Amino acid sequence: MSLPATAPALAAQSARPPRDAVPSRTLYALDALGERGTYRARRRHTVTDATGQELAELSLVPPLFIHRTMMALRRAEPPEADERAALLHSAARLFATGEVAGLSPAAYEEAASRAGGIPVSIVRRATATTAERLRRAYESVQYARPAGTVNGWQDPLTRTGRGTWTRRGEVFAVHAAGNHPGTHSIWPEALALGYRVAVRPSRREPFTPHRLVSALRAAGFGDDQVALLPTEHQHADALRRGADLSLVYGGAGVVEQYAGDPAVRVQGPGRSKILITADTDWRAHLDTLVDSVSGHGGTGCVNTTAVFVEGDAGELAAALAERLAVLPSLPPCDDRAVLPVQPAATARAVAAHLLRTAAGTRAWLGGEGVADELGDGSAVLRPAVHQLPRADAPQAAVELPFPCVWVAPWRRADGVAPLRDSLVLAAVTRDEELVGRLVAEPSISNVFVGGGHPTHLKEHGLPHDGYLSEFLMRSKSVIRN
């Protein structure tokens, strides 16, 4: 197959197909983006969609290429702060509305949907959200700056002594996730702070980071400011070694691997939860409960994994199951799709894992399996609702990549313990003393009180798992006279 260096499409229809034929799809070339521009590697990974159809060829770069690019990033000087803000604003416009690396927004969104199995309507919303966060990235990082500091040593206040907010390093590496395109809306904040950034995309859905890095370069960030370095798993650590700080996504094993490394920030399982106490009526918040479980396809770390209720857990589980059961099974590029799609074999493996995990629980939904095959080699992962016998049941900590929720009884005697290790905890309660304990609990990252906010809510200026800037920056005293 000929691989033209300038075109994103490797193959296209050359003639009108017969009426009964299935039209051929475009095969895209996703090149690495290194210090000298685009690079098409000899070794490539074939990205397929959920049906198994080939979708793209992703160049995989060797360690030497990574090393050379990381050294170039380290030598480069970042643009001035006001220029960085302007470039991010331009990149936002390109990402949302422009033709980037040969793809229109609609073509990108279809490709990302097919590759990740994420409903295309969710990809479209993520496009808008990512663009908005890019536009406001420089403003966003200021929320984390300590009130007693200034942004640079040249500030007049340093003449008499002032805390100055400075980078902890120069080069930032991102080992990206592929479960949702919205995860890429966070790391550009590092560019706003003057870091040079290298991104290793997920091989599951590389279209979003490729488009984002391409848009940033087209907006004016140099090839030595932001890079896309796809590589094989065994070479991934070359990025971490070449960077001062790294952001890594992964499961419990990844969290354990980097737990003691102060140079690595890990985004692991969210295990987000909802607590409903007896002084409130959960029926008034059922829409929020359903949205928390199934919004964004139920694929995110901020989707609700477990619901704890002080009262009849079975009644709430039955109501959740009734609402979630009517969600349709559709291919990801259908505008009406709301559930994730995976290759049929992958979906069957997830379903089998759920059945093993749920042993001893009551299945209100999904008890006979959650893989709904579409007949084209793919399967929808349909919702599951299981009732647990007690608040400390181990299944409450199990997070799966689709709308799967565990409903457990909770008593005052159970306290905060079952609610720990939550990225988001929504507390539907009037008990302010309890809210205070939840906010004070170190292992709970975010607390939403009152039942009016789904756990996947993201608002400008609010931290996700803390502010990324807290990890990237530090304060130091500067006195000049």
Side-chain angles (χ1 to χ4, degrees), residues 70-94:
M70 299 299 276
M71 291 299 293
L73 267 58
R74 186 169 297 283
R75 290 191 299 267
E77 290 291 330
E80 294 298 322
D82 56 348
E83 184 182 357
R84 298 195 300 265
L87 294 179
L88 287 163
H89 198 278
S90 296
R93 176 183 54 79
L94 288 169

Side-chain angles (χ1 to χ4, degrees), residues 243-330:
D244 299 303
L245 300 171
S246 299
L247 175 65
V248 178
Y249 288 84
V254 173
V255 173
E256 183 178 354
Q257 179 182 356
Y258 294 109
D261 191 336
V264 177
R265 180 184 179 93
V266 180
Q267 295 290 312
R271 301 189 180 100
S272 297
K273 305 176 182 68
I274 295 176
L275 170 66
I276 304 171
T277 59
D279 57 8
T280 61
D281 184 356
W282 58 261
R283 296 168 189 81
H285 305 285
L286 186 56
D287 287 347
T288 301
L289 292 172
V290 172
D291 188 16
S292 295
V293 173
S294 62
H296 298 272
T299 62
C301 54
V302 287
N303 283 106
T304 296
T305 296
V307 176
F308 296 84
V309 56
E310 187 181 22
D312 189 345
E315 188 178 3
L316 189 152
L320 269 177
E322 182 179 7
R323 290 284 298 274
L324 293 169
V326 301
L327 298 179
S329 292
L330 294 166

Side-chain angles (χ1 to χ4, degrees), residues 100-303:
V100 177
L103 290 181
S104 68
Y108 148 68
E109 287 159 354
E110 179 186 4
S113 173
R114 290 178 60 202
I118 302 296
V120 69
S121 61
I122 295 171
V123 179
R124 291 185 190 124
R125 288 201 298 273
T127 299
T129 299
T130 299
E132 178 64 13
R133 290 190 70 124
L134 276 174
R135 276 191 290 270
R136 306 180 73 172
Y138 189 78
E139 175 189 347
S140 295
V141 298
Q142 298 301 316
Y143 285 100
R145 180 168 62 85
T149 65
V150 293
N151 277 312
W153 69 268
Q154 302 96 332
D155 191 291
L157 292 173
T158 62
R159 294 189 183 279
T160 55
R162 196 74 169 188
T164 303
W165 211 34
T166 62
R167 293 187 294 274
R168 291 181 58 207
E170 299 296 337
V171 179
F172 183 51
V174 180
H175 296 259
N179 62 309
H180 193 291
T183 59
H184 294 282
S185 67
I186 298 174
W187 62 257
E189 291 184 358
L191 288 170
L193 293 165
Y195 277 88
R196 279 72 75 206
V197 180
V199 180
R200 177 184 179 243
S202 164
R203 292 197 285 181
R204 175 184 171 188
E205 196 281 272
F207 285 93
T208 298
H210 189 275
R211 181 176 180 83
L212 183 50
V213 173
S214 297
L216 288 161
R217 288 184 167 200
F221 280 100
D223 294 351
D224 58 0
Q225 297 291 322
V226 58
L228 184 84
L229 301 176
T231 193
E232 294 175 288
H233 179 75
Q234 63 266 32
H235 302 321
D237 207 45
L239 269 80
R240 186 186 63 81
R241 292 194 303 269
D244 299 303
L245 300 171
S246 299
L247 175 65
V248 178
Y249 288 84
V254 173
V255 173
E256 183 178 354
Q257 179 182 356
Y258 294 109
D261 191 336
V264 177
R265 180 184 179 93
V266 180
Q267 295 290 312
R271 301 189 180 100
S272 297
K273 305 176 182 68
I274 295 176
L275 170 66
I276 304 171
T277 59
D279 57 8
T280 61
D281 184 356
W282 58 261
R283 296 168 189 81
H285 305 285
L286 186 56
D287 287 347
T288 301
L289 292 172
V290 172
D291 188 16
S292 295
V293 173
S294 62
H296 298 272
T299 62
C301 54
V302 287
N303 283 106

Side-chain angles (χ1 to χ4, degrees), residues 407-426:
V407 181
W410 180 85
R411 302 168 303 154
R412 297 284 166 157
D414 294 319
V416 174
L419 310 173
R420 291 180 177 138
D421 299 316
S422 301
L423 178 57
V424 183
L425 176 68

Side-chain angles (χ1 to χ4, degrees), residues 387-464:
Q387 182 180 344
L388 303 179
R390 62 188 192 278
D392 63 349
Q395 291 93 339
V398 175
E399 180 177 283
L400 295 172
F402 68 100
C404 176
V405 62
W406 312 92
V407 181
W410 180 85
R411 302 168 303 154
R412 297 284 166 157
D414 294 319
V416 174
L419 310 173
R420 291 180 177 138
D421 299 316
S422 301
L423 178 57
V424 183
L425 176 68
V428 187
T429 182
R430 295 188 178 91
D431 186 338
E432 294 188 355
E433 188 274 334
L434 175 60
V435 171
R437 284 192 285 141
L438 297 174
V439 172
E441 168 55 44
S443 69
I444 300 175
S445 298
N446 306 289
V447 178
F448 299 168
V449 182
H453 309 292
T455 53
H456 59 69
L457 175 72
K458 291 183 180 179
E459 293 284 354
H460 171 68
L462 294 180
H464 171 64

